[in-house]
Structures are given as structure tokens and as C-alpha cells.
Amino acid sequence: QVQLEQSGSELKKPGASVKLSCKASGYTFTAYALNWVRQAPGQGLDWMGWINTNTGNPTYAQGFTGRFVFSVDTSVNTAYMQISSLQTEDTAFYYCAREQFGPVGPYFDYWGQGTLVTVSS
Amino acid sequence: DIQMTQSPSSLSASVGDRVTITCRASQSITKFLNWYQQRPGKAPKLLIYAASSLQSGVPSRFSGSGSGTDFTLTISSLQSEDVGTYYCQQSYDMRFTFGPGTKVDIK
């Protein structure tokens, strides 16, 4: 069965960096794009962007350029997101989600369990 | 950019009630509209894609309708396990904007 297993919670100080992982199983990794979604505590869902798992080409949403880097390692079916120069406002759950393409547009059919990143001095 | 709004922002209903959530896009998105459920403390889960297609494994009490700018998610008979927040998402311009969410709880 399709699974997206995300790495564990992180506690970081402001200015530090963090690299989150999303390991896929149960399907052909390179056949589907992976998206990243942020959810600050008690808030809604913010789409951060996506990565073409076949080419490794990332696309970033507005507001998620510069400090955010998406990458993949197809040898281990894993996508990564690195956030640098962490700020307290980066405290949030981060989800990866597989993108399925239907007859009428794409949608996110499988989600990871989420990784909580806490940024605090 | 396409903006998404939802109403109401929250609702409280009894088990067995019919519940309707509305989502509106700032411009026509034809049927490029998806619905997700997020139970407390859990990751979001796909319910409906392409405005009205039920995702495999999702109970038939969930249904979606609409096209253009106005969309509706309906729960025909609310169950206790339906408590959570519901989000619409547009995929028309490949920027996947989410609505602000509608929180549903049991009266």
C-alpha cells in the first residue's frame, strides 16, 4: 500500500537549519510529483510547492523562496525539504503529499503523517 | 492568484444532521476543486476530487457539487467521526490554493 513516512519532530534554535525527509513506498516513486504543505499551530494549510521526483526540478510557491530547498534521492525513494535561517514563524507541521493527476486536474491523494518543527531559543 | 473562501468558518450539528459547507473561488476554476478532511491531530485526507468525484474508501455520505466559482461539500448524515476541519483546494492554476477551513463539531 502507498505510504509516505516523514521524519521525526525537530527542535531548533533561530538561525539554524533543518532537513526533513519523506520516504515513499508502495508505488513507483518517480511516477508522481511530491508536494509540501505547511500548517502553523492552529492555522490552515499553506501550499509550499512541489518537486518533480523524476527530474528533481522544484517549484516554490510565493513566500517559500530563498530559504526553502526541495530535493530527492531516487535511490532511496525519498524527498527532502531543507529550511535554512530558521525563524520562530517557521514553527509548524510540515506535510508531504503525493500528487495524483485525474481527468479534471491534480489532487493530493496520499499524505505523510507530518513533521513538527519547533523553532525556539 | 486565485483566492478561496469558505463558509461557515465553523459549525456545530447533531449526529444525523445534514451538513453543508460552501467554498467560493475568486475566479472560475471550472471543476478543479478538491475537498480534504483533517481530523484533530491528524494529517489531511482526500475526500472529493474534481468537485464531485468521491475518493476510493470515503463513505458515501460525503458528496461534492458545483462548478465555476461556487462549490458545496455535503455530509448527508453527520457522524461522530466526522469531527474535524474541512478544506477546499483549487488546482486550476497549478498553485493549489487552500480555503481557510470549516471546523465541524458535534452539538
Side-chain angles (χ1 to χ4, degrees), chain A residues 19 22-24 29-30 34 51-53 56 70-80:
Chain A
K19 190 170 185 177
C22 171
K23 183 172 177 59
F29 180 66
T30 54
L34 274 177
I51 188 162
N52 182 319
T53 53
F70 305 155
S71 60
V72 293
D73 183 344
T74 56
S75 69
V76 289
N77 292 347
T78 302
Y80 302 93

Coordinates of all heavy atoms in Angstrom, one line a residue, chain A residues 19 22-24 29-30 34 51-53 56 70-80:
Chain A
K19 N 16.6 19.7 8.0 CA 16.3 18.9 6.7 C 15.3 17.8 7.1 O 15.6 17.0 7.9 CB 17.6 18.3 6.1 CG 17.4 17.8 4.7 CD 18.7 17.4 4.1 CE 18.6 17.0 2.7 NZ 19.9 16.7 2.0
C22 N 10.9 12.6 3.6 CA 9.6 12.0 3.3 C 9.9 10.8 2.4 O 10.2 10.9 1.2 CB 8.7 13.0 2.5 SG 7.2 12.4 1.8
K23 N 9.8 9.6 3.0 CA 10.1 8.3 2.4 C 8.9 7.7 1.8 O 7.9 7.4 2.6 CB 10.9 7.4 3.3 CG 11.3 6.1 2.6 CD 12.2 5.3 3.5 CE 12.6 4.0 2.8 NZ 13.3 4.2 1.5
A24 N 8.9 7.4 0.5 CA 7.7 6.8 -0.2 C 7.9 5.3 -0.3 O 9.0 4.8 -0.5 CB 7.5 7.5 -1.5
F29 N 8.2 5.6 -7.2 CA 8.4 7.0 -6.7 C 8.5 8.0 -7.7 O 7.9 9.1 -7.6 CB 9.7 6.9 -5.9 CG 10.2 8.2 -5.3 CD1 9.5 8.8 -4.2 CD2 11.3 8.8 -5.7 CE1 9.9 9.9 -3.7 CE2 11.8 10.0 -5.1 CZ 11.0 10.6 -4.1
T30 N 9.1 7.7 -8.9 CA 9.4 8.8 -9.9 C 8.2 9.0 -10.8 O 8.2 9.9 -11.6 CB 10.6 8.4 -10.7 OG1 10.4 7.1 -11.3 CG2 11.9 8.4 -9.9
L34 N 5.8 15.2 -5.7 CA 5.5 15.3 -4.3 C 5.4 16.8 -4.0 O 6.2 17.6 -4.4 CB 6.6 14.7 -3.5 CG 6.5 13.2 -3.2 CD1 7.7 12.7 -2.5 CD2 5.2 12.9 -2.4
I51 N 7.9 19.1 -6.1 CA 9.1 18.7 -6.8 C 8.8 17.5 -7.7 O 8.0 16.6 -7.4 CB 10.2 18.2 -5.8 CG1 11.6 18.0 -6.5 CG2 9.8 17.0 -4.9 CD1 12.8 18.0 -5.6
N52 N 9.4 17.7 -8.9 CA 9.3 16.6 -9.9 C 10.3 15.5 -9.5 O 11.5 15.7 -9.5 CB 9.6 17.2 -11.3 CG 9.5 16.2 -12.4 OD1 9.9 15.0 -12.3 ND2 9.0 16.6 -13.6
T53 N 9.7 14.4 -9.1 CA 10.6 13.3 -8.5 C 11.4 12.6 -9.6 O 12.4 11.9 -9.3 CB 9.8 12.3 -7.7 OG1 8.7 11.8 -8.6 CG2 9.1 12.9 -6.5
G56 N 13.9 15.9 -10.5 CA 14.4 16.7 -9.3 C 14.2 18.2 -9.4 O 14.7 18.9 -8.6
F70 N 13.9 22.1 -1.9 CA 13.3 20.7 -2.1 C 14.4 19.9 -2.9 O 15.0 20.4 -3.8 CB 12.0 20.7 -2.9 CG 10.9 21.6 -2.4 CD1 10.0 22.1 -3.2 CD2 10.9 21.9 -1.0 CE1 8.9 22.9 -2.8 CE2 9.8 22.7 -0.6 CZ 8.9 23.2 -1.4
S71 N 14.5 18.6 -2.5 CA 15.4 17.7 -3.3 C 14.8 16.3 -3.2 O 13.9 16.0 -2.4 CB 16.8 17.8 -2.7 OG 16.8 17.4 -1.3
V72 N 15.4 15.4 -4.0 CA 15.0 14.0 -3.9 C 16.2 13.1 -4.1 O 17.3 13.6 -4.6 CB 14.0 13.6 -5.1 CG1 12.7 14.3 -4.9 CG2 14.6 13.9 -6.4
D73 N 16.1 11.9 -3.5 CA 17.1 10.9 -3.7 C 16.4 9.7 -4.2 O 15.7 9.0 -3.4 CB 17.9 10.6 -2.5 CG 19.0 9.6 -2.7 OD1 19.0 8.8 -3.7 OD2 19.9 9.5 -1.8
T74 N 16.4 9.4 -5.5 CA 15.6 8.4 -6.1 C 16.1 7.0 -5.7 O 15.4 6.0 -5.8 CB 15.5 8.5 -7.6 OG1 16.8 8.5 -8.1 CG2 14.8 9.7 -8.0
S75 N 17.4 6.9 -5.2 CA 17.9 5.6 -4.9 C 17.3 5.1 -3.6 O 17.3 3.9 -3.3 CB 19.4 5.7 -4.7 OG 19.8 6.5 -3.5
V76 N 16.7 6.0 -2.8 CA 16.0 5.6 -1.5 C 14.6 6.1 -1.5 O 14.0 6.1 -0.4 CB 16.8 6.1 -0.3 CG1 18.1 5.3 -0.1 CG2 17.1 7.6 -0.4
N77 N 14.1 6.4 -2.6 CA 12.6 6.9 -2.8 C 12.3 7.9 -1.7 O 11.2 7.8 -1.1 CB 11.7 5.6 -2.6 CG 11.8 4.7 -3.8 OD1 12.4 5.0 -4.8 ND2 11.3 3.5 -3.6
T78 N 13.1 8.9 -1.6 CA 12.9 9.9 -0.5 C 13.0 11.3 -1.0 O 13.9 11.6 -1.8 CB 13.9 9.7 0.6 OG1 13.8 8.3 1.1 CG2 13.7 10.7 1.8
A79 N 12.1 12.1 -0.6 CA 12.1 13.6 -0.8 C 12.5 14.3 0.4 O 12.3 13.8 1.5 CB 10.7 14.1 -1.3
Y80 N 13.2 15.4 0.2 CA 13.7 16.2 1.3 C 13.3 17.7 1.2 O 13.1 18.2 0.1 CB 15.2 16.1 1.4 CG 15.8 14.7 1.5 CD1 16.2 14.0 0.4 CD2 16.0 14.1 2.8 CE1 16.7 12.7 0.5 CE2 16.5 12.8 2.9 CZ 16.8 12.2 1.7 OH 17.4 10.9 1.8

